[in-house]
Amino acid sequence: MTLLTVNDDVKTQTSVISADALLTKCHELLDELEKFQAFLLQEKKEHTVQLRQFRNSVIAELKSLEKLAQADPTAERTIHTLRSSNLPFYSAVWTAAKSCKGLVLFNKRFYWDTSVGRPVSGALKPRRKRSALVDIVAEDGEVWIKVSTITESRLLFEKAKAGWEELDSDSDRESAQQDGRRVVAEGADLVLIGDEDYGSDDEDDDRVELLKIAEDLNRAAKKVHIRYRHPRILFILPKIIEGHTSAVDAILAEIRATGAEVECASDMSSSGTFKHGASVSHNTDTSVALTTTFSRLLIDPLVHLTPTLNIDCTILLALVSDLSHSTLDPSPTLHRAIRRQIDLEANEKLLPSNLYPAMAGRDLVCTSLAAKRMREIVEQIGTPSERLRTELLLGEGKAATKKTPAELRSGLAETSEYTVPEDWRLPIHVADGAYDLSALPAVAERVKEELTEINRSVFFYGWTRGWTTVSSNRTVAKLIEGVVENEGEEGDMGPLVWLCATARSLVGKEKRRH
């Protein structure tokens, strides 16, 4: 049995690294980050991507490189510092990020538990939080990306240091397994010596660092739910070529065995993007290409919508409210909540900016209880225009004479300041709202206990049919999500809910009393 060894000089780099060259690359990286920040501001999306910490890290590296550019380039300290620069890592992170969709943030630590340390002189160490650092969170939180610029030689060095052995034969492999050691990858002819405690949280274990990180990320991901699912974990290894060295492939197999995905240099396209990324613009105009890339990095709020949408009562009211269709004066006689909604509408038009894009081109339904409640509210406090829109929206009353969707849309357009989409499918179909509890996960019984009759009607109807429920009732949506995630079985899916960020009341609602 031969112990795998690596040359003693794996850390030696013969090439001279120029501070000026690194400075140039750092300026280029920072320039792109600042352009992305400006793009976010222009699109009014500056709060959707947490960029500041990563940008500040690049700025700190730039300052360090500027100092090194003034230092003696032949000094051992200067050479060592340049070789250990973080810039290659930051560049790799940004390259990986530009291949993503729905970018959320950089450099986020996720915790999974706390534990008590070992006894020291009769006492216990303080509780220690266990965590994993994620370099990029993308796809609206559904993907965690870990980037490592580790080289093949360094990985082999770590493997040898950790005590991995190369097996000479099938008999050696059998012997290793009988001895309690563990073959790490089928056909890779490797074991990890003395692996009885493999997978433990002991900070003194001798596993390869990338494998430790993969397992820690897996533990952290199990504590996080995004739309009822745990985040997917993706490793980006731009300096590793898969299929080149069996020992390295064995480590990659171990990382994948934790549930993580792995992409290496061999998965990178000629344009510098990875398989997980979307196609990249090849426009020769750099500014145009960057804008195309930046647009893709924005979260698409409509990506999870189903072809049929189940409309909640809160949205039905928003669709007919005068607040949504016209510019109103925030009169002091109105309740402050209404005045605030008028201010919100002045800054972001709810219908053209949010609801019309979400609903256009999709079939629309609502439950009979949601429609009934909406009619009751409109009848009680609605203005004449709000009552007319209610009839047009549902194809009822006087609007029943309008036989086609185009006629209903035309009628709504006459009461609105905004253009009504030609593919808005009216009227909204009123369904009985029946649902089959037996078709849902067992946790649905617990959810049912927490909801009012109308909310059961709305959310369970959409849940049973697999349709997205469109609502502005954040409280109920988060309540359902919490019950399913905390009390359901692993893999249980709750109702799909698309939350509208802001609500719209009827103008007559909550007027100031004198």
Side-chain angles (χ1 to χ4, degrees):
M1 193 176 295
T2 306
L3 183 67
L4 284 173
T5 60
V6 181
N7 293 336
D8 293 334
D9 62 345
V10 292
K11 294 182 180 180
T12 302
Q13 300 181 37
T14 57
S15 59
V16 177
I17 301 174
S18 164
D20 290 337
L22 288 177
L23 261 177
T24 299
K25 291 182 179 296
C26 196
H27 276 295
E28 290 171 354
L29 172 58
L30 187 58
D31 180 61
E32 282 199 9
L33 292 177
E34 290 178 342
K35 285 177 179 176
F36 181 48
Q37 189 173 46
F39 173 81
L40 292 174
L41 286 168
Q42 177 184 322
E43 298 295 318
K44 298 181 179 179
K45 301 288 185 180
E46 63 271 22
H47 301 300
T48 64
V49 182
Q50 295 182 30
L51 184 65
R52 184 175 63 177
Q53 185 174 355
F54 181 64
R55 179 176 173 272
N56 286 346
S57 296
V58 176
I59 290 174
E61 187 68 19
L62 178 65
K63 292 178 179 178
S64 174
L65 291 171
E66 287 173 341
K67 290 180 181 178
L68 287 172
Q70 305 301 319
D72 178 3
T74 62
E76 184 177 346
R77 182 176 179 180
T78 302
I79 295 172
H80 173 75
T81 306
L82 287 173
R83 286 173 177 167
S84 58
S85 169
N86 288 321
L87 181 60
F89 170 71
Y90 294 147
S91 296
V93 169
W94 180 235
T95 297
K98 288 191 294 183
S99 297
C100 295
K101 295 180 181 179
L103 187 61
V104 178
L105 54 81
F106 294 88
N107 198 38
K108 171 74 173 179
R109 189 167 292 279
F110 291 89
Y111 296 87
W112 70 83
D113 70 358
T114 56
S115 59
V116 178
R118 297 170 178 167
V120 177
S121 302
L124 291 176
K125 286 183 179 180
R127 292 178 70 85
R128 175 172 66 90
K129 288 185 177 181
R130 298 183 183 275
S131 64
L133 185 64
V134 177
D135 296 317
I136 304 166
V137 176
E139 294 189 24
D140 200 10
E142 293 183 353
V143 176
W144 290 0
I145 299 177
K146 189 67 182 178
V147 179
S148 175
T149 54
I150 192 169
T151 62
E152 182 178 288
S153 60
R154 178 66 194 179
L155 196 55
L156 290 171
F157 175 79
E158 283 192 16
K159 179 178 63 63
K161 184 179 178 182
W164 294 55
E165 281 190 342
E166 191 170 38
L167 301 178
D168 294 328
S169 65
D170 290 340
S171 61
D172 280 341
R173 188 184 301 105
E174 267 184 35
S175 173
Q177 290 173 322
Q178 290 170 0
D179 290 343
R181 294 168 295 171
R182 172 169 179 274
V183 177
V184 301
E186 187 68 28
D189 296 340
L190 294 170
V191 295
L192 181 61
I193 302 174
D195 195 27
E196 301 89 348
D197 199 30
Y198 185 84
S200 73
D201 290 332
D202 192 336
E203 55 191 291
D204 296 325
D205 67 43
D206 55 1
R207 288 168 293 149
V208 172
E209 185 66 22
L210 277 182
L211 185 53
K212 294 182 194 177
I213 293 171
E215 292 175 337
D216 286 350
L217 286 170
N218 183 51
R219 293 186 184 98
K222 286 181 177 178
K223 295 298 183 181
V224 175
H225 289 87
I226 303 294
R227 284 172 283 278
Y228 308 105
R229 293 283 187 249
H230 300 305
R232 289 170 30 230
I233 298 167
L234 171 63
F235 276 77
I236 299 293
L237 309 176
K239 294 187 177 181
I240 300 296
I241 300 176
E242 191 167 8
H244 183 257
T245 305
S246 61
V248 171
D249 290 348
I251 298 172
L252 300 182
E254 277 290 276
I255 294 172
R256 290 189 174 108
T258 69
E261 300 171 40
V262 180
E263 293 186 15
C264 304
S266 44
D267 298 307
M268 185 183 288
S269 70
S270 59
S271 61
T273 59
F274 288 90
K275 287 192 297 186
H276 74 275
S279 59
V280 175
S281 171
H282 296 288
N283 195 305
T284 55
D285 186 332
T286 304
S287 62
V288 173
L290 274 179
T291 300
T292 301
T293 298
F294 293 163
S295 297
R296 191 186 64 252
L297 296 184
L298 297 179
I299 293 172
D300 180 359
L302 312 181
V303 68
H304 296 289
L305 293 178
T306 52
T308 298
L309 301 180
N310 176 39
I311 311 302
D312 184 19
C313 183
T314 59
I315 301 300
L316 292 175
L317 291 170
L319 289 171
V320 302
S321 172
D322 286 343
L323 297 174
S324 303
H325 288 272
S326 54
T327 304
L328 301 179
D329 178 32
S331 169
T333 61
L334 295 173
H335 190 280
R336 62 183 179 184
I338 300 298
R339 296 201 305 272
R340 170 159 175 74
Q341 290 183 29
I342 292 173
D343 290 339
L344 288 171
E345 179 66 21
N347 292 320
E348 184 176 11
K349 313 300 184 185
L350 180 64
L351 294 180
S353 298
N354 292 279
L355 294 183
Y356 282 163
M359 295 182 178
R362 292 180 168 86
D363 293 330
L364 308 177
V365 301
C366 70
T367 67
S368 56
L369 283 181
K372 178 183 176 183
R373 180 58 180 151
M374 175 218 192
R375 294 188 200 101
E376 290 172 349
I377 295 173
V378 172
E379 182 64 28
Q380 183 179 4
I381 62 172
T383 65
S385 57
E386 289 170 338
R387 295 183 184 190
L388 174 58
R389 291 191 199 101
T390 299
E391 293 180 346
L392 291 164
L393 194 69
L394 302 178
E396 299 174 342
K398 296 177 182 179
T401 61
K402 297 181 182 296
K403 302 299 183 182
T404 68
E407 289 176 326
L408 293 172
R409 289 193 297 268
S410 177
L412 272 170
E414 292 174 2
T415 72
S416 179
E417 292 182 0
Y418 309 122
T419 301
V420 176
E422 293 183 1
D423 54 349
W424 196 26
R425 299 174 184 173
L426 295 180
I428 293 177
H429 173 66
V430 180
D432 59 13
Y435 55 86
D436 181 6
L437 204 60
S438 66
L440 300 175
V443 73
E445 289 282 3
R446 275 287 299 115
V447 175
K448 184 179 179 182
E449 295 172 7
E450 300 290 336
L451 303 183
T452 62
E453 182 183 15
I454 185 172
N455 285 329
R456 286 198 298 270
S457 162
V458 170
F459 289 94
F460 275 70
Y461 182 69
W463 192 357
T464 300
R465 284 156 180 77
W467 295 340
T468 303
T469 296
V470 181
S471 175
S472 62
N473 195 336
R474 177 173 293 274
T475 300
V476 171
K478 293 303 179 184
L479 170 65
I480 296 171
E481 188 178 90
V483 173
V484 173
E485 292 176 354
N486 297 323
E487 301 184 36
E489 298 294 330
E490 183 70 27
D492 280 353
M493 286 290 292
L496 303 174
V497 180
W498 189 81
L499 277 173
C500 183
T502 60
R504 293 291 184 270
S505 306
L506 300 188
V507 173
K509 182 178 173 61
E510 297 180 347
K511 286 186 179 179
R512 185 188 299 275
R513 295 180 179 177
H514 296 281

